[in-house]
Amino acid sequence: MNEADQHAPQAPETERTDDSTGSRLHPRVTSFRSRRGALTDAQQKSWDRQWPLIGADVSDTPLDATTWFGRDAPLIIEIGSGTGTATAAMAKAEPHVNLVAIEVYRPGLAQLLQHVERDEIPNIRVLRGDAMDVLENMVAPGSLTGVRVFFPDPWPKARHHKRRLLQPATFAMIADRLEPGGVLHVATDHADYAEWIEEFGNAEPLLTTLDWESPMTHERPVTKFEDKAHKVGSAITELIWGKIRE
Ligand SMILES: C[S@@+](CC[C@H](N)C(=O)[O-])C[C@H]1O[C@@H](n2cnc3c(N)ncnc32)[C@H](O)[C@@H]1O
């Protein structure tokens, strides 16, 4: 391997996981860490009130967003919403969109539910589970106006790169689920992951430079995770692509 190759992002080996229940079109990516965390009493109470109204577990059932939100509107998903700081602020700034936050970490979702309840935010729904399953099983091709991925876990060690959420197969899946003209918005504070994301995003044939107006804002409030990155002086890379419009 020459010097340049050593620094170029390497695509993880693809382990096709065809199985008897159907063929997965992408290698199985487990991009999250298992984290436990108890809810506070206030969070639990808010959860008990809000979850039946706006929460659901990730499943194999296709998402009927129009029924779930009670209206037809541009649909945006946020993958790995954490504590939902950006989710809540962006939903308030974009009352015309339906926003689905996807997160595996229950205490993070609980904080978002509290925020939704406190500020009476009508256009957020939350899915608990693996966003890869949402993309694969719940979201129809060409159905998303936008996908947001803010500060995905960087998995910095080379042996863990296969756990990075944003890799070629995920870009292909996201691009397929976006409608023509739909937008993928990514932010990261990790320089090496930023390079990797940019290279693989640019290589996805269905994604291109966004040079048209989209109904989705790119104004992003500082997320909880980003706040920590700022404190240690990390540079933030913002990456935005549009799905080709045919
Ligand atoms: C570093 S945190 C960033 C959280 C938030 N976006 C922020 O900026 O504060 C990454 C989050 O993504 C979540 N995550 C990672 N992979 C995921 C997946 N496949 N499905 C759902 N959530 C995921 C993790 O649980 C974690 O909360």
Side-chain angles (χ1 to χ4, degrees), residues 98-118:
N98 290 342
L99 184 44
V100 177
I102 310 163
E103 179 52 72
V104 287
Y105 185 54
R106 189 164 172 259
L109 284 176
Q111 289 185 57
L112 176 56
L113 293 185
Q114 283 184 300
H115 204 146
V116 166
E117 187 170 42
R118 188 174 62 240

Side-chain angles (χ1 to χ4, degrees), residues 31-32 35 80-82 103-104 129-131 150-151 153 223-225:
S31 58
F32 49 88
R35 287 187 289 165
S81 49
E103 179 52 72
V104 287
D130 188 342
F150 298 151
F151 304 93
D153 297 300
T223 72
K224 182 172 179 197
F225 188 83

